[in-house]
């Protein structure tokens, strides 16, 4: 896949990046941080698992990195935990944003720990490598917990969802955060969800902002027990679930 074919337009509206290809915002300036935590972190019941002494390492898989908001929301929770387990965070992005666009996240949430200059430079360096060679698609970075014991490692893969998902290990928690299914159908296709299941195990959880009926049905067919929950803010419903059996 030629990454240069995947460049697309971004328009700024009220300081928030909007995808012209998918006609959708990357995050909400009003309540975006709280929405991410409500849907993905709390929807997956992650806070209760961070301090579970029997778990040495947990893995999170995300479909749709965007500006990195979900990473930073999760990192903020993890850094604030007294003695958390280590986390590995795997994400993918077919349309990587420039560092200038990523910085809009900092402007929207100035009181949060977000993109630092070294982090942006590291990201941009790998982004440029990928543009020259599509095989150079993994950006890695890590954070050390203040207690000096646990680590938070990030693995971001640039490229098509089907190719990048093959790079994921078995995942404990899924953040399904592509643009809405009717605007980005490939991210929610039966093939993508089947790949997701292949990288899951009994007890793997997922959470997503969407409550689309065909997404619920396809996940149920794959063995996930689905629950509808109250959506964030004015959104009526969202979906969460757990894989009953990986066989």
């Amino acid at each position: 896949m030629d990454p240069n074919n995947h460049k697309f337009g971004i328009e700024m509206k009220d300081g928030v990046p909007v995808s012209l290809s998918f006609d959708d915002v990357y995050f909400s300036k009003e309540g975006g941080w709280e929405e991410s935590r409500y849907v993905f972190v709390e929807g997956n019941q992650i806070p209760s698992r961070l301090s579970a002494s029997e778990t040495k390492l947990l893995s999170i898989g995300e479909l749709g990195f965007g500006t990195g908001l979900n990473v930073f929301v999760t990192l903020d929770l993890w850094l604030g935990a007294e003695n958390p387990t280590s986390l590995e965070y795997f994400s993918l992005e077919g349309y990587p944003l420039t560092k200038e666009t990523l910085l809009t996240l900092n402007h929207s949430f100035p009181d949060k720990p977000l993109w630092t200059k070294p982090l942006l430079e590291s990201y941009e360096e790998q982004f440029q490598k990928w543009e020259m060679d599509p095989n150079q698609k993994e950006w890695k970075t890590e954070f050390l917990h203040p207690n000096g014991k646990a680590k938070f490692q990030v693995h971001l893969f640039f490229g098509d969802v089907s190719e990048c998902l093959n790079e994921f290990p078995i995942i404990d928690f899924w953040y399904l955060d592509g643009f809405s299914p009717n605007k980005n159908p490939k991210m929610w296709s039966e093939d993508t969800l089947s790949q997701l299941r292949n990288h899951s195990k009994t007890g793997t959880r997922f959470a997503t902002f969407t409550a689309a009926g065909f997404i619920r049905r396809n996940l149920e067919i794959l063995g996930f027990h689905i629950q509808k929950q109250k959506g964030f803010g004015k959104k009526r419903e969202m979906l969460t679930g757990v894989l009953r059996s990986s066989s």
Side-chain angles (χ1 to χ4, degrees):
M1 183 189 68
D2 181 1
N4 292 302
N5 291 334
H6 283 254
K7 291 182 177 178
F8 68 120
I10 295 290
E11 182 180 58
M12 301 303 297
K13 291 185 178 180
D14 298 322
V16 174
V18 178
S19 165
L20 297 180
S21 296
F22 297 107
D23 187 29
D24 210 346
V25 296
Y26 277 91
F27 59 86
S28 169
K29 191 173 182 179
E30 300 298 330
W33 185 276
E34 292 77 12
E35 180 178 30
S36 175
R37 174 156 178 156
Y38 177 87
V39 173
F40 299 109
V41 176
E42 296 176 7
N44 272 307
Q45 302 175 15
I46 289 177
S48 63
R49 291 289 302 277
L50 279 184
S51 58
S53 58
E54 73 276 7
T55 306
K56 293 184 179 180
L57 178 66
L58 293 173
S59 59
I60 294 172
E62 176 186 47
L63 303 193
F65 181 80
T67 60
L69 175 61
N70 293 334
V71 172
F72 292 115
V73 169
T74 308
L75 177 63
D76 184 55
L77 171 75
W78 181 82
L79 288 172
E82 184 175 345
N83 189 33
T85 186
S86 290
L87 280 181
E88 280 198 296
Y89 193 109
F90 295 85
S91 188
L92 56 85
E93 180 56 59
Y95 304 85
L97 300 175
T98 65
K99 61 181 181 181
E100 290 78 16
T101 304
L102 293 178
L103 274 173
T104 62
L105 194 67
N106 292 26
H107 300 152
S108 294
F109 307 108
D111 59 332
K112 302 295 185 182
L114 300 170
W115 289 102
T116 63
K117 183 177 180 181
L119 202 59
L120 278 171
E121 290 175 348
S122 172
Y123 170 95
E124 183 72 6
E125 180 181 357
Q126 192 61 47
F127 184 8
Q128 291 174 355
K129 288 181 180 179
W130 175 68
E131 288 194 296
M132 293 184 290
D133 179 4
N135 292 317
Q136 300 292 318
K137 58 176 174 283
E138 183 182 5
W139 175 59
K140 294 188 290 187
T141 190
E142 73 174 30
F143 305 87
L144 184 65
H145 194 269
N147 68 12
K149 299 177 182 179
K151 291 182 179 180
F152 187 111
Q153 297 177 313
V154 178
H155 306 259
L156 169 61
F157 296 93
F158 300 132
D160 185 83
V161 58
S162 60
E163 297 174 8
C164 294
L165 262 178
N166 287 332
E167 305 288 342
F168 282 34
I170 299 299
I171 295 297
D172 294 303
F173 308 100
W174 288 103
Y175 293 1
L176 306 188
D177 194 27
F179 291 118
S180 63
N182 63 324
K183 295 180 179 180
N184 188 15
K186 186 171 184 179
M187 188 72 90
W188 304 91
S189 70
E190 291 182 26
D191 287 343
T192 296
L193 296 180
S194 293
Q195 273 188 284
L196 180 150
R197 185 197 180 282
N198 290 337
H199 290 272
S200 304
K201 61 184 180 182
T202 301
T204 291
R205 302 193 64 86
F206 82 87
T208 180
F209 61 88
T210 185
F214 78 97
I215 299 297
R216 175 181 56 78
R217 290 189 293 272
N218 288 341
L219 286 167
E220 284 179 333
I221 290 171
L222 292 171
F224 285 90
H225 173 65
I226 309 299
Q227 290 183 313
K228 284 186 178 181
Q229 295 189 12
K230 170 69 174 66
F232 180 82
K234 297 179 180 179
K235 188 166 177 58
R236 191 163 60 90
E237 294 176 327
M238 57 176 270
L239 299 178
T240 63
V242 59
L243 185 61
R244 287 173 164 166
S245 174
S246 57
S247 60

